[in-house]
Amino acid sequence: MSSQSTIPWFDDFMGVAYRYYDLRMNVVPLLTDRKQSAYLWHDTIHWWLDSSIKIRFVETGDKYWFIMGSDSQKPSTNLSFFKVLQKSENYERFKKGHGGEAYLRLGVYTKKLLGDVKKSALCNCSHEARDHDEGDDDVCLYNNCDCKKFTSFQVNLLKRKKTITDIVFLEEKDVKDDPLTWNCLNVNKYSKSERN
Ligand SMILES: [Zn+2]
Ligand SMILES: [Zn+2]
């Protein structure tokens, strides 16, 4: 086995955003805490060699596994990332449009409430803040929208970035041929379901 098998798996992040920014698609693992994102970059991702960064996607129904790992110049603090996520339009857009290259950046995700935003900010229900009642109960007043509370979020992309050129979409039947993916599913899926 390669040294891959000794690198801990990390899934303590919210999800992954796919954004077009700086002329290239960006893959953005999302954290809710700015400090945690700083540690993660400083201790782990900073030491990755761009040419060895791998991201893998394995689809299972309407979900997919996001898997990311790399060789590190500081193996003692290296981590590999994974998360099982819901497929989304942005994910599909990334799948079609990445062209074999992407930037890796971390993002900090902040939830916004009605009092934090401009009138034109969009709620998750797709209507603007001005369409929401400003009383205690900020229900959406737009036609027959059933949104009960204004919620929106903001993603701040951190400046530092790495370039990823090893991007592969796999089917589950093929994961055995890909050491990073195989290790991930083995540790985080197969060995767990056997124990149940
Ligand atoms: Zn609405
Ligand atoms: Zn709403």
Side-chain angles (χ1 to χ4, degrees):
M1 281 302 286
S2 70
S3 57
Q4 200 76 63
S5 54
T6 59
I7 300 170
W9 285 99
F10 174 80
D11 71 345
D12 188 17
F13 56 105
M14 281 197 52
V16 180
Y18 304 94
R19 292 283 177 92
Y20 203 69
Y21 185 76
D22 274 0
L23 304 176
R24 207 168 275 176
M25 292 294 263
N26 287 245
V27 173
V28 186
L30 295 173
L31 297 136
T32 50
D33 185 77
R34 182 166 271 279
K35 263 195 190 148
Q36 189 196 14
S37 70
Y39 289 134
L40 212 52
W41 192 277
H42 180 266
D43 291 346
T44 300
I45 299 176
H46 171 74
W47 303 97
W48 285 2
L49 306 161
D50 289 48
S51 60
S52 77
I53 302 172
K54 295 177 173 60
I55 50 175
R56 300 290 182 259
F57 300 88
V58 183
E59 299 188 357
T60 55
D62 57 354
K63 298 206 161 120
Y64 68 96
W65 287 66
F66 168 84
I67 299 166
M68 177 171 77
S70 178
D71 292 339
S72 172
Q73 291 169 291
K74 201 178 165 204
S76 60
T77 55
N78 200 11
L79 293 170
S80 296
F81 293 64
F82 82 99
K83 196 89 187 167
V84 182
L85 297 164
Q86 201 70 39
K87 283 184 193 166
S88 65
E89 268 177 46
N90 287 335
Y91 162 76
E92 300 289 353
R93 197 186 310 156
F94 176 78
K95 186 180 173 183
K96 287 201 192 84
H98 64 79
E101 249 181 13
Y103 285 138
L104 167 64
R105 277 195 164 86
L106 293 179
V108 180
Y109 177 102
T110 326
K111 209 168 176 183
K112 297 279 180 188
L113 298 176
L114 191 58
D116 307 329
V117 298
K118 291 189 187 148
K119 297 274 183 214
S120 60
L122 283 185
C123 175
N124 289 343
C125 72
S126 84
H127 303 125
E128 296 183 350
R130 63 166 64 90
D131 293 325
H132 291 72
D133 190 1
E134 287 176 39
D136 289 342
D137 193 17
D138 48 340
V139 294
C140 183
L141 303 173
Y142 193 92
N143 287 341
N144 45 12
C145 180
D146 59 7
C147 167
K148 298 274 184 283
K149 190 170 178 57
F150 181 90
T151 43
S152 178
F153 64 86
Q154 186 183 324
V155 172
N156 288 314
L157 299 192
L158 304 189
K159 284 218 176 69
R160 286 183 281 184
K161 62 182 186 242
K162 296 265 173 182
T163 306
I164 314 169
T165 53
D166 190 345
I167 302 168
V168 180
F169 290 79
L170 288 162
E171 289 189 49
E172 196 166 350
K173 66 179 172 54
D174 300 323
V175 300
K176 278 200 171 162
D177 303 324
D178 188 82
L180 179 70
T181 313
W182 177 239
N183 180 264
C184 179
L185 268 71
N186 225 354
V187 173
N188 301 303
K189 184 176 183 183
Y190 306 137
S191 61
K192 286 194 174 146
S193 51
E194 273 161 27
R195 257 181 258 137
N196 291 337

